[in-house]
Amino acid sequence: MTDSTEPTTGPENAEAPLHRRGIKSYVIRAGRMTQAQTRGLEDVWPRLGLTLAEGRQALDALFGRQAPRVLEIGFGMGQSLIEQAQTHPDTDFIGIEVHAPGVGKLLDEADKRGLTNLRVYREDALAVLEQCIPEGSLDTLQLFFPDPWPKKKHHKRRIVQPAFVELIRTRLKPGGTFHMATDWEAYAEWMAEVMEAAPGYTNTATANTAPFVPRPEFRPLTKFEARGEKLGHGVWDLIYRREA
């Protein structure tokens, strides 16, 4: 019998528990807070911040309307999510990020731009999906540039695992999409392997590009990504649709 803390070399099976003791897909990194970031956490959080303690959300009541809903896991410093929320005022966005500087920056920027179609969790994404997001409520779930955990002994920490994508499927509406992007080719191949084996999904890629899709115009090009493109670094997008 293999101990659950030993390294794995491939994706776990769909029955593997989402919350395994001591296993996290992220690391909390220390960072100095700017005045604007602190303002976001202290002054804007009471209006736009959400917690696990609030439990299952009634999203129409939360946003005060019926609208398409997009959830992004791991928005970093929030540049892409802010741009999307401003560009698409008729869509509601929920962001999840554990790092305080990024949460603070996004909240400060959202307030400065007067955005009302954005809410934020500073919690573990799996717990938010399980406890707070209703089934069949999301039009899109975005996972852009997650930690690739490149060493084989750390592959068990990768967030994209069969049980994770099954949880996402239950939160998407029929016809809703799961959009991933990574600048690590090996992780892109891992994502494709997991998704091709996952029931209830259809790859939206064409035969010419499968399993990947060209970067869609609606995914903002980040400064980090633009810099990487100039250096010849690749980026791989994958978009899968939940079947009815």
Side-chain angles (χ1 to χ4, degrees), residues 26 35-36 50 67 93 126 129 136 158-159 162 180 184 210 227 238:
Y26 59 87
Q35 185 175 355
L50 302 171
F93 293 85
L126 297 178
L129 288 171
R158 288 177 169 175
I159 192 170
M180 294 169 281
W184 284 74
R227 186 164 58 247
L238 304 93

Side-chain angles (χ1 to χ4, degrees), residues 2-244:
T2 301
D3 186 88
S4 64
T5 60
E6 289 183 3
T8 59
T9 57
E12 298 174 333
N13 61 52
E15 286 72 38
L18 284 167
H19 293 285
R20 294 194 298 159
R21 192 176 190 84
I23 303 294
K24 290 286 187 182
S25 63
Y26 59 87
V27 173
I28 299 292
R29 299 176 179 88
R32 303 182 72 176
M33 298 284 293
T34 67
Q35 185 175 355
Q37 291 165 359
T38 300
R39 173 187 172 274
L41 288 175
E42 293 181 352
D43 298 343
V44 187
W45 175 266
R47 181 160 48 86
L48 301 183
L50 302 171
T51 68
L52 289 178
E54 296 172 44
R56 191 80 68 201
Q57 294 286 350
L59 298 183
D60 288 354
L62 177 66
F63 288 99
R65 64 178 182 177
Q66 291 183 328
R69 303 270 153 69
V70 176
L71 185 147
E72 182 168 332
I73 295 174
F75 57 74
M77 299 306 288
Q79 174 191 345
S80 171
L81 190 54
I82 283 287
E83 185 173 334
Q84 291 179 79
Q86 184 165 31
T87 304
H88 303 284
D90 294 331
T91 298
D92 294 330
F93 293 85
I94 300 173
I96 306 174
E97 177 58 61
V98 295
H99 301 291
V103 174
K105 181 175 177 58
L106 178 134
L107 289 170
D108 178 67
E109 193 64 30
D111 184 60
K112 288 176 178 176
R113 300 190 188 197
L115 300 180
T116 60
N117 61 332
L118 178 62
R119 299 292 186 275
V120 182
Y121 282 98
R122 188 184 170 197
E123 307 275 6
D124 179 272
L126 297 178
V128 172
L129 288 171
E130 289 176 331
Q131 301 175 35
C132 304
I133 304 301
E135 294 187 5
S137 64
L138 301 176
D139 293 86
T140 301
L141 192 140
Q142 300 176 164
L143 180 68
F144 297 156
F145 307 101
D147 195 322
W149 294 103
K151 294 182 180 179
K152 279 190 175 181
K153 67 179 181 179
H154 292 151
H155 284 183
K156 63 191 174 185
R157 295 183 180 273
R158 288 177 169 175
I159 192 170
V160 179
Q161 303 282 353
F164 171 70
V165 303
E166 171 58 19
L167 174 60
I168 288 174
R169 189 189 67 80
T170 67
R171 270 47 185 175
L172 290 172
K173 297 176 181 177
T177 56
F178 178 26
H179 183 184
M180 294 169 281
T182 179
D183 55 350
W184 284 74
E185 186 173 10
Y187 198 11
E189 293 170 349
W190 169 291
M191 291 171 170
E193 177 185 348
V194 172
M195 294 304 300
E196 291 300 322
Y201 283 102
T202 300
N203 193 342
T204 66
T206 66
N208 293 333
T209 64
F212 309 113
V213 299
R215 182 183 70 86
E217 293 184 0
F218 58 77
R219 180 172 72 75
L221 185 68
T222 66
K223 292 180 181 179
F224 170 83
E225 186 179 353
R227 186 164 58 247
E229 284 189 350
K230 291 181 180 179
L231 296 173
H233 298 171
V235 172
W236 293 266
D237 283 77
L238 304 93
I239 301 179
Y240 287 78
R241 180 175 294 110
R242 179 188 165 174
E243 298 171 357

